[in-house]
Amino acid sequence: MSQTKTKCLIIGSGPAGYTAALYTSRANLEPVLYEGHQPGGQLTITTEVENFPGYPDGTTGTQLMEDIRRQAIRFGADVRSGLITKVDFSKRPFIVTDDSGNEIEAETVIISTGATARFLGLPDEEKYMGMGVSACATCDGFFYRKKRVAVVGGGDTACEEALYLSNIAQDVFLIVRKDYLRASKVMQRRVLEKPNIKVLFNTQTQGLYGDEFLQGAHLVENIGTTKEQHFDLELDGFFLAIGHTPNTSLFKGVIDLDEQGYIVTKGQSTATNIEGVFAAGDVADPNYRQAITAAGSGCKAALDAERFLTSLE
């Protein structure tokens, strides 16, 4: 058990955390960053990344995160493996404890713990992740140009993903568990009027199949009724659009969260309701969830932390 003092503690990695570490280290704040249970964040389970500026030929999610990580370390960031298990934001400097019992005394904290895509719970989802299964149409839709894809979900997010993909893919199937869409009326109308989107109501996914890559889904219609019917749907891509869960359980009752559990920030800044605590990336962003926007907010959080410390001086 040890104790560390730092001007800035960053909880979580990914594009937001690593970028915050890069900026705070260059500002001589000597940041300490804990990478969490998934070093590099969700991008590490993404194969190709073609929409991050500076990579004209594309790169892998793992390589992109490693590049930003090395850049932060080059300027002096103390990047550590492990989890933060306890936070005390009742007074400054803040006291934070990791999963080995080590304490970190921090003048400022940047939270970049991200959000986790919700899955159906099928064992095949993990098997084909990055090989046909995705939780982000904006990120991966380009790879399915003129192909057959399915989107699972019935809310606004699912309809938005289906509409986005309909401009890229040849055929889009919207798999809806109920006999209606939960999306807003305008989104419903747009989906139903789109010629290459077919809505499969009362339909559930029971499994996925394929050799190395996804080739289709095992579906069941009207399950538990006399009209129950099992069938296979050939697909090149399978997109999950049933929501994300922000990784904020550690901060419940400690800082302000919205109804969905995302950290609430003030105005255009990354500041939370506690002075000296900032939030960056998907943990405070239910709307965009892109690597570039997460990296941008990591930069903002670093600048906000630096300016906060300067104002104290």
Side-chain angles (χ1 to χ4, degrees):
M1 180 176 175
S2 64
Q3 188 171 51
T4 304
K5 292 185 179 181
T6 180
K7 292 180 181 177
C8 183
L9 171 68
I10 302 167
I11 305 175
S13 49
Y18 288 149
T19 301
L22 168 60
Y23 272 77
T24 50
S25 58
R26 291 186 75 249
N28 294 321
L29 299 188
E30 299 177 339
V32 173
L33 180 147
Y34 274 80
E35 294 184 294
H37 70 279
Q38 189 177 33
Q42 291 188 82
L43 274 186
T44 57
I45 59 173
T46 299
T47 49
E48 291 292 318
V49 176
E50 294 188 330
N51 56 1
F52 198 93
Y55 290 86
D57 298 318
T59 184
T60 65
T62 302
Q63 187 61 55
L64 175 59
M65 289 301 93
E66 180 59 26
D67 287 346
I68 306 176
R69 183 181 187 272
R70 285 192 298 109
Q71 197 172 2
I73 292 173
R74 174 192 166 199
F75 290 104
D78 181 356
V79 177
R80 303 179 180 183
S81 59
L83 297 167
I84 296 299
T85 56
K86 183 180 179 182
V87 297
D88 182 359
F89 293 160
S90 60
K91 61 181 183 302
R92 291 189 50 257
F94 308 116
I95 302 297
V96 176
T97 308
D98 69 15
D99 52 359
S100 296
N102 302 310
E103 286 190 350
I104 303 91
E105 185 179 295
E107 295 294 327
T108 61
V109 171
I110 295 174
I111 300 169
S112 56
T113 48
T116 303
R118 294 176 191 153
F119 292 90
L120 296 172
L122 304 172
D124 301 326
E125 288 171 308
E126 186 173 344
K127 176 181 177 181
Y128 296 109
M129 182 58 64
M131 302 293 180
V133 173
S134 171
C136 180
T138 309
C139 309
D140 301 325
F142 178 81
F143 301 111
Y144 299 93
R145 186 174 179 80
K146 298 191 180 302
K147 295 186 177 182
R148 287 164 59 93
V149 300
V151 177
V152 179
D156 279 321
T157 299
C159 288
E160 287 173 4
E161 301 260 289
L163 286 166
Y164 176 83
L165 289 166
S166 71
N167 295 319
I168 301 170
Q170 177 179 309
D171 298 301
V172 179
F173 298 90
L174 185 59
I175 302 172
V176 184
R177 186 166 56 92
K178 298 187 179 293
D179 60 355
Y180 61 88
L181 292 170
R182 293 181 291 103
S184 60
K185 295 295 182 183
V186 65
M187 292 300 295
Q188 291 184 41
R189 189 186 76 248
R190 289 173 181 168
V191 164
L192 295 172
E193 290 178 352
K194 195 76 175 186
N196 64 334
I197 296 179
K198 182 177 181 180
V199 183
L200 305 178
F201 290 109
N202 294 313
T203 303
Q204 297 182 40
T205 307
Q206 292 195 312
L208 304 172
Y209 65 89
D211 296 327
E212 183 180 354
F213 294 90
L214 175 80
Q215 292 178 296
H218 301 301
L219 304 179
V220 57
E221 184 181 17
N222 299 310
I223 190 169
T225 72
T226 55
K227 296 180 179 180
E228 182 172 316
Q229 180 182 357
H230 295 254
F231 63 100
D232 289 346
L233 181 65
E234 291 186 4
L235 297 167
D236 300 293
F238 186 82
F239 290 83
L240 296 155
I242 52 178
H244 286 71
T245 301
N247 301 320
T248 53
S249 58
L250 181 64
F251 310 107
K252 286 181 179 177
V254 179
I255 57 179
D256 288 347
L257 309 176
D258 67 11
E259 292 180 355
Q260 297 174 283
Y262 289 90
I263 295 176
V264 176
T265 54
K266 296 181 179 180
Q268 298 296 313
S269 76
T270 62
T272 69
N273 63 301
I274 298 177
E275 285 195 349
V277 178
F278 306 90
D282 289 6
V283 74
D285 175 19
N287 297 313
Y288 299 104
R289 296 193 297 271
Q290 298 296 301
I292 189 64
T293 54
S297 67
C299 165
K300 289 172 60 177
L303 295 175
D304 287 341
E306 180 188 3
R307 289 166 183 169
F308 174 77
L309 292 171
T310 300
S311 70
L312 297 179
E313 294 173 3

